[in-house]
Amino acid sequence: MRAPSGSRYDQQGRNGQGGRFGWLGELAVALPLVVVGVLAVSVIGMIVAAVMDAGPASADSDLFFEDPVADLVFSLLGIAIGIPIVMGVARLLGRRPAGTLSSVVGRLRWRWLGWCAAVGFPLMIVQIGLLIAWTWDSEPLSASGDGGFPGWPYFLLSMAVILALVPFQAAAEEYVFRGWLVQVIGRAVRSPWPAIVVASLLFALAHGFGEISGFLLLFYSAMWWGWLVIRTGGLEAVIVLHTANNLLAFGLSAGFGALDDSSTAADAPWQALVLELVFAPLYCLVVAKLAERRGVERVSP
């Protein structure tokens, strides 16, 4: 069952199914399933590493494999598994088309996604370029790696894995936090803002505890992205920006031989936060204006 015509993105779960407290059932089932899914992929990675005798040389290592690329595969798959989980829960417990997690029209709008990419990728390149220039003297990217290019064969293999899996990993985080979670909370509240705030807080916490600047960056970005999802009626714009950020970040790590670095956006320095204060609203406002001009659907038909 679809939500009534004219429903916002966060209201797509309001299809009259599951009863007044049906949203609690979705939460109670989906969150443990996501955790179990991540753990299952991790366990499989540990087993494969043990069987192949490919584990890290150091017993204190946080990696499953000695080879960072192999470890990256399982790390990305462990997050990507969130997509089928939340789609299945929306379909079976929410009793609505799984595509309503993508947008108000019930699917990903690929042409609109392409327009977002035309804006998001150049802006992200500029943002990361400015961050590198700003922090290079104090903390070069190679500080956590071996300080050198790993060679073309290994670099190309790393990039093949990154290009193949990072879009699914980035999209999974959007489907879980700014998609399914926002719609589940949206079944119980009228305004989209409680859902956006809760989802943004959980998104920041999910990246771990690092620097306060990193936490604020994640929370601030997530608030803008949550607004953009409601404003454009779908996840396309935030999937694009999240993918662009992660592709560039992982690509640079691969180039500097730092794929074994376990730091996340939660460890971002204060300079990254300052740049995000400018670039997050810049991207969101430009894309929102573009969506208005192109007549992108904001509510369900």
Side-chain angles (χ1 to χ4, degrees):
M1 295 281 295
R2 293 291 302 271
S5 177
S7 299
R8 295 188 309 261
Y9 179 83
D10 59 299
Q11 298 172 329
Q12 294 304 299
R14 294 187 174 188
N15 59 354
Q17 304 295 305
R20 183 178 180 181
F21 298 103
W23 62 278
L24 288 174
E26 281 198 53
L27 280 174
V29 172
L31 292 180
L33 280 179
V34 170
V35 174
V36 169
V38 172
L39 292 176
V41 174
S42 299
V43 169
I44 292 172
M46 294 172 62
I47 293 173
V48 171
V51 170
M52 298 180 62
D53 194 22
S58 173
D60 297 328
S61 176
D62 295 328
L63 304 179
F64 297 146
F65 294 84
E66 179 69 21
D67 186 348
V69 175
D71 199 83
L72 181 64
V73 170
F74 283 92
S75 297
L76 296 177
L77 288 176
I79 299 174
I81 199 172
I83 296 177
I85 290 175
V86 295
M87 281 191 163
V89 169
R91 178 68 180 85
L92 297 176
L93 295 183
R95 299 179 183 177
R96 63 186 186 274
T100 56
L101 292 178
S102 299
S103 76
V104 293
V105 301
R107 57 177 175 80
L108 278 176
R109 298 165 292 188
W110 291 101
R111 181 172 295 183
W112 169 235
L113 188 144
W115 280 101
C116 295
V119 176
F121 273 82
L123 276 180
M124 187 56 64
I125 290 172
V126 172
Q127 182 177 357
I128 291 183
L130 289 173
L131 179 61
I132 293 173
W134 195 352
T135 61
W136 183 260
D137 290 337
S138 59
E139 189 177 352
L141 287 176
S142 59
S144 59
D146 60 16
F149 182 66
W152 282 108
Y154 194 81
F155 174 72
L156 292 176
L157 174 62
S158 302
M159 289 306 301
V161 169
I162 290 168
L163 291 171
L165 297 181
V166 163
F168 293 99
Q169 170 260 329
E173 294 187 22
E174 298 308 318
Y175 272 97
V176 172
F177 291 101
R178 268 161 293 281
W180 168 79
L181 186 56
V182 165
Q183 289 187 359
V184 168
I185 299 175
R187 293 177 61 177
V189 297
R190 294 183 178 181
S191 170
W193 284 107
I196 292 174
V197 171
V198 171
S200 299
L201 179 60
L202 293 177
F203 175 75
L205 292 174
H207 285 77
F209 298 95
E211 302 293 333
I212 185 63
S213 56
F215 174 82
L216 292 176
L217 181 152
L218 287 163
F219 182 74
Y220 175 78
S221 302
M223 289 289 289
W224 271 106
W225 293 4
W227 172 82
L228 186 60
V229 168
I230 306 300
R231 183 64 178 75
T232 59
L235 295 177
E236 297 91 350
V238 292
I239 287 175
V240 160
L241 195 64
H242 200 154
T243 300
N245 176 81
N246 289 10
L247 284 176
L248 290 171
F250 279 114
L252 287 169
S253 293
F256 283 92
L259 279 179
D260 57 348
D261 183 11
S262 61
S263 62
T264 69
D267 302 298
W270 65 268
Q271 295 94 331
L273 173 60
V274 171
L275 290 172
E276 189 69 7
L277 292 175
V278 176
F279 278 89
L282 176 61
Y283 173 76
C284 292
L285 293 174
V286 168
V287 169
K289 187 65 175 179
L290 181 62
E292 181 180 345
R293 289 185 176 182
R294 298 197 60 81
V296 173
E297 302 90 339
R298 296 176 58 180
V299 296
S300 56

